[in-house]
Amino acid sequence: MTTGVDMDVAVDTPVEPAGGLSSAQAAERLRADGPNAAAPPPRRHLASRILHQLTDPLVALLLAAAVVTTVLRDYPDTAVIVLVVLVNTAIGVVQEVRADRAIAALDQLAAPTARVLRDGRDVVLPAADLVRGDVVRVEAGDVVPADLRLTEVSRLHLDESALTGESVPVGRDAGEEASAGTVVTTGRGTGTVVRTGPASALGRISALVAATRPAATPLQRRLATLGRVLGLAAVLLSGLVFVIGVVGGRPVVDMAVTAVSLVVAAVPESLPAVVTLALALGARRMAGARAIPRRLHAVETLGSVTVIASDKTGTLTEGRMAVQHAVTTDGSRYAVTGRGYAPHGAVHHRGEPVAVPQELRRLARAGLLCNDATLAPPTDERPEWTAVGDPLEAALVAFAARCGLDPSATRSAWPRVAEHPFDQELRRMTTVHRSCDGRYLVVCKGAPENVLTASLLDATAEEIAELTATAHRLAAEGLRVLAVASALLGAPPADPARPTGLRPVGLVAVGDPLRAGAADIAGSFDTAGVRLVLVTGDHPATAAAIGGQLGLWREGDPLVRGDDEDPARAHPETRVYARTQPEQKLDIIAGLQSRGHVVAMTGDGVNDAPALRRADIGVAMGGGTEVARQAADLVLVDDDLSTVAAAIGEGRRIYDNIRRFLRYALSGGVAEIAVMLLGPLFGLAVPLLPAQILWVNLLTHGVPGVALGAEPAEPGTLRRAPRSPQESVLGAGLGRDVLVTGALIAAVVLGAGVLARHWDRPWQSVVFVVLGLAQLGVALAVRAPRPRGARRGNRALPVAVAVSALLQVAGVLLPPLRDLLGTAPLGAPELLACAAVSVLPGLVLWLARRPWAAAPGTPAGGDPVVGRDPAADGGLAAEGGLAADGGPAAEGGPVPARSR
């Protein structure tokens, strides 16, 4: 029988004249007071950004060289040095601005929300829209969004450590204040906003720390160390070039300028800006895939994750919970249908629609009263009914409505006078309600094993055993089961946390369907070398059923019970943890990390925050508590775990591109130093002038280098083992490949120079042209291979290479540039010969990877050597795997359901 009520009143809350503002009042106060947000940090002006770029040590070295050349009246070299400084500064400033904008956009996406009483009803608004006089409701897991004067409280305790440093939660009563930025650890409360934005307690503290500079990410620190090592090596080798030149009879000052220029050319001074931009734009790309990184280091760390410890509700499931079955004390089982949280549905018994019996109505009423959630009707922005509060409790509200109850009228008829909120120790919630005849209704709901106990119930052992067995059968179907008990007493219980003498009312089985494709998630993670682990508070039978559907568990596999054993000592192959307390997640993470895993942990509750911080990557659900989102490194807007796979692919893409840039830039520096060191041995007294070195550096390290950072993901990115977090940025063969590539370029350049000298041609100009063009050819050779059939790649790279190649050739064609660079004109045959020779290093690299890509036994889209980084091989990978946009390619083939 289809039933329902008009639920427009279900979210209407009676408003006293002093509470709840109208939308018009709120808008007027928002205009007057401004948004409820901390004062933004001072805007960085263009002059300060430019000064920041100019204070870089390597740029300072260039400026020193410019001073030297000016004193010597070597104006062409001075002009080139100044041009290099201007271009590098412009690129750095532009990248910095783009990174700041990307991060600002992420901050907007991750903005907190608040539950507010507006126009007589509960609504969820951005916390920035709060104004003085707003009535705000907070509960466990919420961050207090503004300074509140509390009007109603129920066992409210706040974690004020963010403001006071005091780690012990503090109780708050009606009439006291709750400060912005504090966290509700237990209980709930209602209060009126008294201060917002910079005037709030959190706003005042934020103003003191607004100027604090963010810490460098781990990757930036590793690259900074690498830069110092490379800088020292370049200085030593350039010093050697200086000595050789002076011994060979070159002027000391000229060789000093040459050595300084060579240092700058050998070290990729644009690397920090390229890395920052790559991370920031990668974070923005992740946000487009509904995964918002709250910290930049999350972008790089994601690429090395080996284990994802995930909860079930809303992550692997749709997150739209509904009561699917209900069992009354007489053993009758009813099926309940309906769409989402809509208050309309049908009740069936033995496959036939029936009128709602009184026992089922009693069960629905008890679940409605022992409940803090409400339902929000459809709006223009949200076309469906949505939960306001805990989704599980919202499912009970919808269940009551489908049984013909009016939630608002029922709650008004049975006002709550006392309660004990749900806690992890007792795993149940108790409320006390006054009836119209002066008696008190005590309702308790929670986990069956914590409610169906002799100490709580006035029931026979047979009744308890029968309901417990029914709960096990429902849990084995993958449903989350709640037991409900109640009693009508003459006086309220002395301790609502531990009532006695209750009678069982029945069981409700709440279902949350697995997301479409959830069964493939574990297999896709296994293919990427990432192991999915299910960590849930559900009954072991429920956890096993869900694990079986996901391909994580089979009969005979280990299954750890948090209430029965220590999760930290679990079998290494354990993939399902049941009845897990939030604090036990710390033990699970520690156990996995002790075995060398890089762990990503998902969570949505206030008690998940420590585990989110302890994990290498904390992943919070967008629909979870605000404290969980603030503790996390990554927020999943859609609560869909498959989104993490795309984020892992994006993290690997970014790291690959950073390594690709390093191979390209460092090999060019190696080649330049080798040419300057070995040239005199082959009769090339001064292979390159300072201006020529800087010109090549300008054209190769600038726009083409930045374009390399935008390369799409390689085929097979999600079909290879994650990199080790201890691996050097030059590890996995990249250092060797830099030397080999640099040697190839140097050999070609020196060979061309020697031949030109032998044929009495302007050999220095030939060396200049070939050096620049050969490096640009390598940029094309190390780019990421495109998947089979892909039509589009990174179009910016060939355009950047073509423009730079034209400017390189212009250095020997245009008289003004010839005067500036000290080059001689080359004819068309000579330029064609230079171009043909310059292709050789890139061609060798391209040919070297062809047999590798087609190696026998290489899986489609995979690497022939586990853990091998394709970026170290010039972006080598077979077809299939990850498309240019980071999603799985069609050629990937079947994905196994599990990896044993």
Side-chain angles (χ1 to χ4, degrees), residues 513-530:
L514 286 177
R515 291 181 180 271
D520 297 328
I521 290 178
S524 63
F525 281 132
D526 282 339
T527 305
V530 180

Side-chain angles (χ1 to χ4, degrees), residues 869-888:
D869 191 336
D873 293 299
L876 313 183
E879 311 296 347
L882 199 79
D885 60 358

Side-chain angles (χ1 to χ4, degrees), residues 59-85:
V59 176
L61 197 60
L62 269 178
L63 294 175
V67 171
V68 172
T69 54
T70 302
V71 170
L72 297 175
R73 298 186 179 183
D74 185 2
Y75 300 122
D77 281 349
T78 301
V80 174
I81 294 173
V82 170
L83 180 61
V84 170
V85 171

Side-chain angles (χ1 to χ4, degrees), residues 309 535 566-569 577 580-595 599 601-602 606-616 618 631:
V535 182
D566 183 3
R569 299 180 180 178
Y577 297 81
T580 307
Q581 303 280 5
E583 56 269 21
Q584 290 177 313
K585 290 185 176 182
L586 289 170
D587 299 328
I588 294 173
I589 292 172
L592 292 169
Q593 289 175 332
S594 67
R595 293 192 285 272
V599 182
M601 170 68 80
T602 72
V606 61
N607 289 327
D608 292 329
L612 293 174
R613 290 192 182 98
R614 173 65 182 270
D616 299 282

